[in-house]
Amino acid sequence: MGSVQIVTTILAAAITAVAVWLAVRAVMQMTAVIRLGQPDPSRFDDKASRTRTMLAETAGHTRMLRWSVVGAAHWFVMVGFIVLSLLVLEAYFEVVSPTGGLPLIGGWALYGLVTEWIGILGIVGIVVLIAIRLANRPTKAGRRSRFTGSTMWQGYFVEAVVLAVLIMGFLIRGFKVATDHFEYPTWATPLSHAVGSALPDWESGVSVAALIKIAISMTWLIVISLNVTMGVAWHRFLAFPNIFFKRKPGAAGSGLGPLRPMMSDGKPLDFEEADPEKDQFGVAQVEQFTWKGLLDFSTCTECGRCQSQCPAWNTGKPLSPKLLVLSLRDHAYAKAPYLLAGGGKDLTGEEKATAAQLAHVDVLALAEAEKPLIGDAEAGGVIDPDVLWSCTTCGACVEQCPVDIEHVDHIVDMRRYQVLIESSFPSEAGVMLRNLENKGNPWGAPQNTREDWTKGLDFEVPRVGEVDDFEYLFWVGCAGAFEDRAKKTTRAVATLLNEAGVSFAILGEGETCSGDPARRIGNEFVFQMLAQQNVETLNEAFSGREKAKRKIVATCPHCFNTLGNEYGQLGGEFEVVHHTQLLAHLVATGKLTPVQPVDGGVTYHDPCYLGRHNRVFTPPREVLGSALGAGEITEMPRNSERSFCCGAGGARMWMEERIGKRINVDRVEEAMSTGAKTIAVGCPFCSTMLTDGVNGKGAGEQVEVVDVASVLLRSVRPEQARGAEEGEPVGS
C-alpha cells in the first residue's frame, strides 16, 4: 500500500463512519415519528400478495411506466442505484489498492458486461430526468409544472449525485484500463476501454477516483440524514414498505373504491357505543393519523404526478395533493420532538405531558404543537379549509402516485373531525345533510314520489314483495328517482331490461340514499344511519339467497361503489353491477340488438367512481360501440384512468365552486374539442355537471349530454327512445 492509498483509505473510512452514524440516527428518528401514528392492524394480512405487489411495482415499475419516457428513464436510474451499489462497495477495495476489486464476482465478464450497460443506460436515464426537471421548472411553467411547490434544490442535488457517481465509476474503470489492471474484455466494457484510452497511465488515479466516488456517495448520505423530510431521496428506501403496506395489495385501484371506516385505536368505530371523550372521531392532530399515514407522508417523492392530475389544482383552486402531503409531513416532523417527549392533547383537549417533560423541548417544536391541523392563515393552520373542501375525492392523485400514497383517505379523515366534532363545513352542504337525515335523499324530495319515474312506461315495473322472484334488484338511487335528467336514464335502463327479458324489481319507497355524499363529506354518523337501514332492507329483500344471487344493478357509480364496496363493512354482502356492465352483457349475448347507428359522433366521459375507483372502463365503450355501428368513439385526451373529474364527487355536488375555473366547464371544453355532438356519460352527477357546463358555454343546441343507456335505447328501439326518456306512453 502506497502513501496515496494510505491517505485515501483513511479519508474513505472517516467520511463513511460519519455518514453511517448520521444515517442510523436518521432512520431511528424517522421510525420514532412513524410509530407515533395510530395502530392499523389491517396492513399485515396477506403477506404473500403484498410481497408480490411490492416486487412488481418496484422491479417492474408498473406504475411509473404509465409515463413512458419518464418511467423508462427512472427504471434505469433505479436499477443503476441498486446494482451499482456493488461498485460503490468495490470502491472501498480500490482505495486500498489500484488492483483491488470485489471478491468472487469481481473478474466475471458477465458482471462487467451487466454493470457496464447499466451504468451507460443509467447515465442516459438521469440526463433525461434532469432535462425533464429543467424543462418543467416552476419558474418557467408556473402552476402547470408538476414540480410547483417541490423543494427543487433537493431534486437537483440527488440527480447531480447520481450522475457524478456514475461518471466516477467509468473514470475508475478507465484508470484501470490505462494502467493495464482492468480484468474485463473490450466487448463487455466498451465505454470503460474508450475512457481508458484517453487517460494517463497513473496507477494512483484508481484510488483517488475511488475516494472521490465514495466521498460523493457518503456526502449524499450525510445530506439526506440531516434532512429526514427529503422525500426525493428517502423514497428510495421507504417506497418498498409503503407499497408493501398499501390498503389492498394486488388490487389495481388500491386506496380507491371504498373509504377506510372510521377507526379508533385500530378498530372500526361503533357509533352506538362511541364516546367523543374516549374515542377518536376523525383526525384533529397529525399524530391521530395511522402509522401508515405518517409513512405515506414520509415517502412522498415530490414528483407532482398527483398535482398534475388533480382537477382542483388544474382549475386554480388551492388544493394540491402533493402540497397537502408535504405540509402534513413537515408538520409531523417539526412537532415530533414535542410528541416524543410525551406531549400531546388527549381527546378532551388537555395536555398529556407534565411541565418537566416539556422543559427541554425545542421552542419551535412547542410552537408547532400549537398549530391547528385545519385553519386559515390567520389561525396558522397546517391545512387551509379551502384546501380541505376543494377535494372531489376523484382519486386521480391515488391513481398516479408511484409510491401508493392514499391521499383520499387522509383528506376524508380530516373532514370527519371537522364535520362531526367541529361542525365546520361549507354552509350550503348543511341543507344536503339535513335532507339526508330527515327525508332520506339530498334534495329533500318527498319519499312517496320515489316511484314517479315509472309513470308513462308501457310495462309494469315490479316491486320487491310483489313478485315471487327476480334476478336483479334495480337500485334506482336518489338522482334516478328525483332528478329530472337522471329519470331519463332510469326509464331507459328499465325499458332496455324489459326489452331484453331481464327479471328485475325495485324497492320503490323502501329505498333511501346510499349515504355516499354523507360519507365523502365526512359525516360518518349519517352514512351509517342510512347504510344500516338499507342493508336491513336489502338483506330482507334477498332473504335466503347466497351472495352470488344477491344481484343489484345501479345506474349511479356512487351508489354502485357504496353498495358493492362499503356495505360489506356493515354486514351487507351483494353482487353489484353498473348498468353499463349489464347492458354490455345483454348486447354481447344478443338479447339487445342495435339496429340504427347513432350519428353525429360520440365522446365518452369516464365517471371517476365507475372508472378510476372501480376499474370499469370497457363495458360503457362496448355499449357505445355497438350503438355507433361502424363508427368509433372519439376519445378525449384525458380518458380512462386519467379521466378528468366532472367536479361533483366528494359531496361537491352540493357545494358552491367559488374559487378558480369551474371543473365541469374545463371538462366540457375538452369534450367539445373532440367535435362530437354527443357527450355520453354513465353517472347522473356527471350528467348534471356536464349539462350545466354545456349550457354555460351556450352550446346546448349543438351538443347533448346523455347517458350510455339512452344512447343504446335510441339504437335498439328508436321509436321508443323518446317516450322512455320523457315518461310519455310508449308506442302511443
Side-chain angles (χ1 to χ4, degrees):
M1 180 186 291
S3 58
V4 172
Q5 283 70 42
I6 292 173
V7 173
T8 55
T9 301
I10 292 172
L11 291 176
I15 193 170
T16 301
V18 172
V20 169
W21 179 77
L22 290 173
V24 170
R25 188 184 70 167
V27 169
M28 292 175 65
Q29 181 183 353
M30 296 176 75
T31 303
V33 171
I34 292 167
R35 286 170 61 88
L36 288 169
Q38 300 302 304
D40 191 352
S42 65
R43 305 289 179 168
F44 296 92
D45 62 348
D46 199 2
K47 292 182 175 61
S49 178
R50 291 183 181 279
T51 301
R52 287 193 299 271
T53 301
M54 184 266 290
L55 292 175
E57 287 194 25
T58 52
H61 255 42
T62 52
R63 295 172 77 88
M64 284 291 294
L65 285 173
R66 295 173 182 175
W67 303 77
S68 54
V69 174
V70 177
H74 191 277
W75 187 85
F76 285 116
V77 171
M78 181 202 73
V79 172
F81 176 80
I82 295 172
V83 176
L84 298 185
S85 295
L86 290 173
L87 295 185
V88 176
L89 177 61
E90 188 174 31
Y92 284 94
F93 292 90
E94 291 160 341
V95 295
V96 176
S97 170
T99 61
L102 285 177
L104 300 178
I105 62 173
W108 193 22
L110 181 59
Y111 171 73
L113 173 69
V114 170
T115 51
E116 180 86 355
W117 282 101
I118 288 177
I120 292 171
L121 294 172
I123 288 175
V124 173
I126 198 64
V127 168
V128 168
L129 295 181
I130 290 171
I132 290 172
R133 188 178 293 273
L134 290 172
N136 291 278
R137 59 188 185 275
T139 53
K140 179 180 179 181
R143 197 177 180 94
R144 295 188 306 278
S145 170
R146 62 185 174 91
F147 296 117
T148 298
S150 298
T151 314
M152 294 301 288
W153 76 262
Q154 294 180 355
Y156 293 135
F157 170 75
V158 168
E159 288 166 347
V161 165
V162 172
L163 181 59
V165 168
L166 291 170
I167 290 173
M168 292 310 301
F170 283 105
L171 279 176
I172 293 170
R173 288 186 163 191
F175 275 118
K176 283 190 171 183
V177 170
T179 56
D180 201 26
H181 293 317
F182 198 48
E183 57 267 67
Y184 305 114
T186 303
W187 64 265
T189 54
L191 182 57
S192 296
H193 280 271
V195 172
S197 66
L199 292 176
D201 181 3
W202 180 33
E203 193 165 276
S204 294
V206 175
S207 297
V208 172
L211 173 64
I212 295 173
K213 181 175 182 176
I214 291 170
I216 293 171
S217 301
M218 293 303 106
T219 298
W220 174 81
L221 188 56
I222 289 169
V223 170
I224 73 168
S225 297
L226 295 174
N227 293 272
V228 290
T229 59
M230 195 171 176
V232 70
W234 281 106
H235 83 274
R236 297 180 178 202
F237 310 105
L238 297 178
F240 297 96
N242 208 56
I243 294 170
F244 181 87
F245 289 116
K246 67 195 294 186
R247 179 143 61 89
K248 294 188 294 182
S254 179
L256 296 171
L259 284 172
R260 289 178 68 254
M262 268 184 68
M263 309 291 286
S264 181
D265 196 29
K267 300 174 184 177
L269 195 64
D270 183 349
F271 275 94
E272 292 185 3
E273 300 178 359
D275 181 351
E277 294 188 359
K278 297 179 181 178
D279 296 300
Q280 181 179 316
F281 279 56
V283 169
Q285 305 288 337
V286 72
E287 65 271 20
Q288 291 177 347
F289 287 106
T290 67
W291 61 263
K292 175 57 169 64
L294 296 177
L295 179 59
D296 271 358
F297 308 153
S298 303
T299 308
C300 180
T301 71
E302 303 190 26
C303 68
R305 285 177 181 80
C306 58
Q307 182 172 284
S308 69
Q309 301 296 300
C310 177
W313 180 260
N314 277 289
T315 53
K317 295 165 183 64
L319 169 63
S320 156
K322 177 186 71 178
L323 298 181
L324 179 140
V325 166
L326 297 186
S327 296
L328 293 171
R329 178 199 68 189
D330 294 345
H331 173 59
Y333 280 87
K335 187 178 180 181
Y338 159 78
L339 295 172
L340 292 171
K345 302 289 196 299
D346 63 21
L347 294 173
T348 64
E350 295 296 320
E351 176 60 57
K352 294 186 289 187
T354 64
Q357 286 177 297
L358 301 179
H360 302 291
V361 175
D362 183 81
V363 65
L364 294 178
L366 293 174
E368 194 74 26
E370 294 302 315
K371 289 184 177 180
L373 191 64
I374 307 298
D376 57 20
E378 184 177 347
V382 178
I383 304 297
D384 191 278
D386 285 334
V387 169
L388 185 68
W389 297 109
S390 291
C391 180
T392 66
T393 67
C394 71
C397 49
V398 180
E399 173 73 34
Q400 294 301 327
C401 182
V403 293
D404 285 310
I405 293 171
E406 297 162 359
H407 311 71
V408 174
D409 283 340
H410 304 321
I411 288 171
V412 172
D413 271 340
M414 290 186 286
R415 284 183 171 187
R416 284 166 167 166
Y417 181 83
Q418 293 301 304
V419 172
L420 294 171
I421 303 300
E422 297 291 333
S423 296
S424 176
F425 50 87
S427 57
E428 59 270 18
V431 176
M432 178 268 290
L433 289 173
R434 286 193 295 274
N435 285 336
L436 286 178
E437 288 192 73
N438 300 325
K439 299 290 187 177
N441 68 86
W443 285 279
Q447 185 73 355
N448 60 10
T449 62
R450 269 196 182 269
E451 300 178 32
D452 284 1
W453 63 271
T454 63
K455 295 176 181 177
L457 295 176
D458 67 343
F459 58 91
E460 188 70 24
V461 177
R463 281 76 174 165
V464 172
E466 297 178 359
V467 290
D468 293 332
D469 196 21
F470 54 89
E471 183 178 5
Y472 286 94
L473 189 150
F474 182 13
W475 182 272
V476 177
C478 299
F482 301 121
E483 205 274 325
D484 288 339
R485 280 167 287 206
K487 285 182 185 179
K488 298 178 182 180
T489 301
T490 308
R491 283 191 283 265
V493 171
T495 302
L496 289 166
L497 295 181
N498 183 70
E499 176 72 21
V502 175
S503 171
F504 71 96
I506 63 172
L507 289 172
E509 294 182 25
E511 184 182 305
T512 191
C513 180
S514 68
D516 165 85
R519 187 167 230 198
R520 266 70 196 169
I521 202 173
N523 197 324
E524 186 75 5
F525 176 79
V526 170
F527 164 73
Q528 291 204 18
M529 178 186 73
L530 296 169
Q532 286 170 351
Q533 179 180 336
N534 282 324
V535 166
E536 184 177 339
T537 300
L538 291 168
N539 282 340
E540 183 178 347
F542 289 121
S543 178
R545 299 193 193 188
E546 64 271 24
K547 181 180 178 181
K549 293 184 178 180
R550 296 157 68 91
K551 297 180 181 179
I552 299 174
V553 58
T555 58
C556 175
H558 296 264
C559 295
F560 164 68
N561 177 69
T562 304
L563 271 64
N565 293 330
E566 297 184 339
Y567 275 18
Q569 299 170 2
L570 300 170
E573 296 289 341
F574 313 109
E575 289 288 339
V576 186
V577 298
H578 188 252
H579 71 284
T580 58
Q581 293 175 297
L582 181 54
L583 294 178
H585 170 72
L586 296 174
V587 171
T589 55
K591 294 183 179 179
L592 290 174
T593 305
V595 295
Q596 179 174 309
V598 175
D599 57 13
V602 174
T603 189
Y604 175 63
H605 163 78
D606 287 274
C608 299
Y609 273 83
L610 181 64
R612 196 157 37 237
H613 278 278
N614 284 284
R615 326 311 292 178
V616 180
F617 301 117
T618 303
R621 289 174 168 81
E622 290 177 341
V623 174
L624 292 173
S626 68
L628 287 171
E632 293 184 356
I633 300 171
T634 306
E635 294 283 9
M636 288 181 253
R638 295 176 291 192
N639 64 77
S640 301
E641 69 272 4
R642 292 192 193 174
S643 179
F644 196 71
C645 183
C646 74
R652 290 290 325 172
M653 180 86 170
W654 291 275
M655 300 182 223
E656 291 297 326
E657 199 169 343
R658 298 186 176 91
I659 304 174
K661 183 179 182 180
R662 294 185 68 86
I663 294 173
N664 61 331
V665 171
D666 191 294
R667 186 56 165 170
V668 161
E669 289 173 352
E670 183 176 5
M672 292 175 62
S673 71
T674 66
K677 300 302 180 185
T678 298
I679 304 174
V681 297
C683 171
F685 291 179
C686 295
S687 178
T688 296
M689 298 298 284
L690 298 186
T691 299
D692 289 350
V694 167
N695 292 337
K697 299 292 291 184
E701 297 297 321
Q702 296 81 40
V703 179
E704 181 185 19
V705 179
V706 63
D707 191 87
V708 170
S710 295
V711 175
L712 180 62
L713 183 61
R714 293 173 186 180
S715 180
V716 172
R717 287 288 182 266
E719 74 284 356
Q720 291 186 7
R722 182 175 179 274
E725 290 181 13
E726 299 300 332
E728 298 174 0
V730 177
S732 60

